[in-house]
Amino acid sequence: MKAKQLRKLLCLALTGVMLLTGCGQNGDPADTGSTKESGAEDETKDTAAEDGTEETSTEDAGDEDAADSDTGNAAVGEGGKGPIVDEMVTYTLACQLSPNWGNPAEGEFWKKLEEETNIHIEWVTYLETEAEEKFKLLMASGDYPDGFIGGLGGNDNDIITYGSEGIYIPLNDLIDEYAPNFKRRVSEEYPNLMKTITCPDGNIYGMPSVLYNPDIYNNTFINKKWLDAVGAEVPTTTEEFFEVLKKFKEEDPNGNGEADEIPMTFIFSDWGASDHGPYFGSFGYPLAPDYLMIDNKEVKYLGAEESFKKGAQWLGELYAEGLIDRDAFTQDSSGMAAKVSTNTVGVYSSWDTTEAGDFAEDYVALMPLKGPEGEQNALVEGITGFYNGRFIITDKAKNPEILMQWIDRFYESMEVGLNATYGIGPDENKAWYYDENNEIVFKSGDDLPEDQVRGQQQLPFAPAILGDGVEDFLGNPAKNVIVNDMHKFAGKLDSGEWERWPVCYVTVEEKEDIATTETDLMSYSKNQLAKWIAGESDVNADWDSYLQELENIGLSHYLEVKQQIYDRYDSAE
């Protein structure tokens, strides 16, 4: 898969997830709460009718057949093959759909699952644009379903709140006894996943989805033709880099007779892919977008570390020499691309070389630079592919162990996960198939039958573990030579000495306690960094007063709470 296609796919994946789960760090949408309102049940039904979405009454949630069934007949075993119960039972599940998604009741995957398991699902569906409001009304009415799937009801705050109230039931024991597929995949592929899905009270209230989670690095590219023109090699140290940038500025490497060269550019406001963060790895910690790093189990605020000071000073020196683009603080991706694609930029940061257009082949990857004290660290960025609360069982469900065995089928293999979340296969006439080399081919565009478009047969955010096997299918950056080379400089993250902030549950009280402080800290640090790089202020002269202002904002308490959250996460089994 071409790099441009990969980037689009990753961005689309993030966008889709954000639409369903909001933009919080833990995939946590805005808090929907649980307000009790009179007449909520009628209002829920009326609004559903108005927007044309299909809604099935939840009055019979947890069919009496389920209550009366002999669960001793359930097929558990190694992955649970065949029927789960001898006689068909019915459960009601609620989900949210994009406007162009088909109702799961008509989906091929779900129909086949019913035939195999003897579990019939009555679906309650809401358009995602109104799902939050409908969810509030549904919970306030008390007439909620047996369970939620695909993200509806999966807000972290909701999971903690309704779990503590007993509305969402603990799944710990059910997983242990009735989810052999899930336990096997977790133990073999994602041993830390149990920590991610464990709530502060030690209970698990929602089953996760593990989609595509590649390691991605902040790639920086340098113009090799310009290097040849000035007689220089690819720099490996900050000192060599400085000298190369000076040559780019002074020696007309693009050969047009004009002093129009921009030695180095980036997007200061970017969230990671195109920003200045990787350069700080030459002085210790690379600067992560959330300004956090775990160092030997201790939470660090990167804006208060010496690496932040030293990186700011070095970038300030480059800026003072005219080696950094003056537009770096204000430009967006299109502005940067306009320069890179016209052969006027020596070094830039991005996902790939797409922005360079016709000059893309002129650029080669620049590895992390070795700093004055020998530091040479890569920042492992990522597309967060771990999502909590993709399947929740409520206290309305009779014999919830049946539902647990049903959902465990989703985790059986990567192929089942693909059928549930991406498309039906393996079949050359449907969404995906295996080619002669036993590699997955995913059909798209005009090659994909209309009734097989993602969302028509599946629920894209249903529970699943796609795992490493799907990386080839989606275009694995780990097979990219650049990524393999970058990986050599991520040893402290690979070894576990350093960790990025994990996806984990945070209590409502913790979130409210530090939310404003977190925003204020990062805003202050970023503003000061911009001033230091641009030469509007001196980092060495300001440093002590800067640290004091961080304390005034609440840094110590912020780190105390973050440490509490991390310690709880890390101690979960």
Side-chain angles (χ1 to χ4, degrees), residues 253-266:
N254 66 7
N256 65 357
E258 301 179 18
D260 59 349
E261 286 84 0
I262 300 170
M264 168 186 177
T265 192
F266 51 78

Side-chain angles (χ1 to χ4, degrees), residues 221-292:
F221 299 96
I222 188 167
N223 195 312
K224 186 63 168 62
K225 281 196 173 180
W226 283 21
L227 286 171
D228 294 341
V230 301
E233 299 295 326
V234 176
T236 60
T237 69
T238 52
E239 184 177 352
E240 292 173 358
F241 186 68
F242 183 86
E243 294 302 321
V244 163
L245 293 186
K246 287 188 68 176
K247 289 178 177 290
F248 284 172
K249 178 184 177 184
E250 297 168 357
E251 298 185 18
D252 189 30
N254 66 7
N256 65 357
E258 301 179 18
D260 59 349
E261 286 84 0
I262 300 170
M264 168 186 177
T265 192
F266 51 78
I267 304 173
F268 186 82
S269 60
D270 190 71
W271 61 269
S274 304
D275 72 359
H276 49 285
Y279 296 108
F280 288 78
S282 301
F283 306 94
Y285 302 114
L287 187 58
D290 59 4
Y291 274 49
L292 291 173

Side-chain angles (χ1 to χ4, degrees), residues 89-164:
V89 295
T90 298
Y91 287 95
T92 304
L93 297 181
C95 66
Q96 57 189 6
L97 305 174
S98 291
N100 60 334
W101 290 359
N103 191 304
E106 303 302 321
E108 180 176 340
F109 172 80
W110 311 98
K111 290 180 178 179
K112 183 178 180 181
L113 191 63
E114 177 175 325
E115 293 174 0
E116 291 179 348
T117 63
N118 275 340
I119 308 300
H120 173 71
I121 302 300
E122 293 290 341
W123 293 94
V124 180
T125 65
Y126 303 108
L127 286 177
E128 62 183 356
T129 53
E130 297 183 352
E132 183 177 323
E133 178 186 358
K134 297 290 184 64
F135 173 72
K136 287 182 182 180
L137 295 172
L138 189 65
M139 299 309 290
S141 72
D143 193 23
Y144 46 85
D146 297 313
F148 296 94
I149 191 170
L152 182 64
N155 172 326
D156 282 7
N157 288 351
D158 292 327
I159 290 175
I160 293 172
T161 299
Y162 293 126
S164 66

Side-chain angles (χ1 to χ4, degrees), residues 168-308:
Y168 293 172
I169 68 170
L171 305 179
N172 309 51
D173 293 341
L174 293 172
I175 291 172
D176 283 342
E177 190 168 357
Y178 298 104
N181 286 321
F182 178 74
K183 290 196 298 180
R184 170 178 52 80
R185 299 288 301 283
V186 168
S187 65
E188 293 175 355
E189 302 174 48
Y190 299 97
N192 286 329
L193 186 59
M194 300 306 287
K195 296 180 180 181
T196 297
I197 64 177
T198 299
C199 285
D201 64 1
N203 286 321
I204 296 170
Y205 297 107
M207 299 295 285
S209 186
V210 183
L211 302 181
Y212 181 47
N213 192 44
D215 286 340
I216 295 178
Y217 298 85
N218 292 116
N219 294 330
T220 298
F221 299 96
I222 188 167
N223 195 312
K224 186 63 168 62
K225 281 196 173 180
W226 283 21
L227 286 171
D228 294 341
V230 301
E233 299 295 326
V234 176
T236 60
T237 69
T238 52
E239 184 177 352
E240 292 173 358
F241 186 68
F242 183 86
E243 294 302 321
V244 163
L245 293 186
K246 287 188 68 176
K247 289 178 177 290
F248 284 172
K249 178 184 177 184
E250 297 168 357
E251 298 185 18
D252 189 30
N254 66 7
N256 65 357
E258 301 179 18
D260 59 349
E261 286 84 0
I262 300 170
M264 168 186 177
T265 192
F266 51 78
I267 304 173
F268 186 82
S269 60
D270 190 71
W271 61 269
S274 304
D275 72 359
H276 49 285
Y279 296 108
F280 288 78
S282 301
F283 306 94
Y285 302 114
L287 187 58
D290 59 4
Y291 274 49
L292 291 173
M293 189 73 75
I294 315 297
D295 187 340
N296 287 300
K297 309 298 183 182
E298 181 181 355
V299 181
K300 300 283 189 178
Y301 177 70
L302 297 180
E305 296 298 317
E306 279 294 310
S307 56
F308 188 70

Side-chain angles (χ1 to χ4, degrees), residues 218-460:
N218 292 116
N219 294 330
T220 298
F221 299 96
I222 188 167
N223 195 312
K224 186 63 168 62
K225 281 196 173 180
W226 283 21
L227 286 171
D228 294 341
V230 301
E233 299 295 326
V234 176
T236 60
T237 69
T238 52
E239 184 177 352
E240 292 173 358
F241 186 68
F242 183 86
E243 294 302 321
V244 163
L245 293 186
K246 287 188 68 176
K247 289 178 177 290
F248 284 172
K249 178 184 177 184
E250 297 168 357
E251 298 185 18
D252 189 30
N254 66 7
N256 65 357
E258 301 179 18
D260 59 349
E261 286 84 0
I262 300 170
M264 168 186 177
T265 192
F266 51 78
I267 304 173
F268 186 82
S269 60
D270 190 71
W271 61 269
S274 304
D275 72 359
H276 49 285
Y279 296 108
F280 288 78
S282 301
F283 306 94
Y285 302 114
L287 187 58
D290 59 4
Y291 274 49
L292 291 173
M293 189 73 75
I294 315 297
D295 187 340
N296 287 300
K297 309 298 183 182
E298 181 181 355
V299 181
K300 300 283 189 178
Y301 177 70
L302 297 180
E305 296 298 317
E306 279 294 310
S307 56
F308 188 70
K309 176 184 177 182
K310 293 176 181 178
Q313 179 180 349
W314 180 71
L315 288 171
E317 292 170 358
L318 298 184
Y319 191 91
E321 292 287 333
L323 306 180
I324 294 179
D325 187 1
R326 265 37 183 176
D327 294 333
F329 302 101
T330 57
Q331 69 184 350
D332 57 15
S333 59
S334 60
M336 186 175 75
K339 299 169 185 175
V340 177
S341 63
T342 54
N343 198 27
T344 57
V345 172
V347 178
Y348 76 102
S349 299
S350 184
W351 289 102
D352 51 42
T353 58
T354 303
E355 286 88 347
D358 294 339
F359 298 95
E361 293 185 1
D362 294 351
Y363 288 88
V364 296
L366 179 68
M367 294 297 108
L369 301 167
K370 181 179 291 185
E373 298 176 11
E375 294 283 1
Q376 194 174 15
N377 302 300
L379 177 67
V380 180
E381 200 51 77
I383 300 299
T384 302
F386 296 85
Y387 303 104
N388 293 325
R390 301 297 96 171
F391 184 72
I392 295 163
I393 302 176
T394 74
D395 60 351
K396 294 291 183 71
K398 304 294 194 304
N399 296 326
E401 66 274 11
I402 296 176
L403 273 179
M404 179 55 68
Q405 291 174 79
W406 180 79
I407 206 64
D408 189 53
R409 299 292 175 94
F410 289 58
Y411 298 106
E412 179 182 342
S413 65
M414 178 266 291
E415 287 85 356
V416 175
L418 278 179
N419 286 335
T421 63
Y422 273 88
I424 301 300
D427 188 328
E428 291 189 21
N429 297 314
K430 295 182 180 178
W432 64 273
Y433 62 94
Y434 289 104
D435 65 13
E436 62 276 8
N437 298 316
N438 204 35
E439 294 183 357
I440 292 178
V441 177
F442 187 73
K443 301 175 70 172
S444 60
D446 295 336
D447 295 332
L448 188 64
E450 185 175 346
D451 68 339
Q452 297 293 325
V453 171
R454 188 172 181 230
Q456 295 305 308
Q457 296 289 343
Q458 317 76 37
L459 188 61

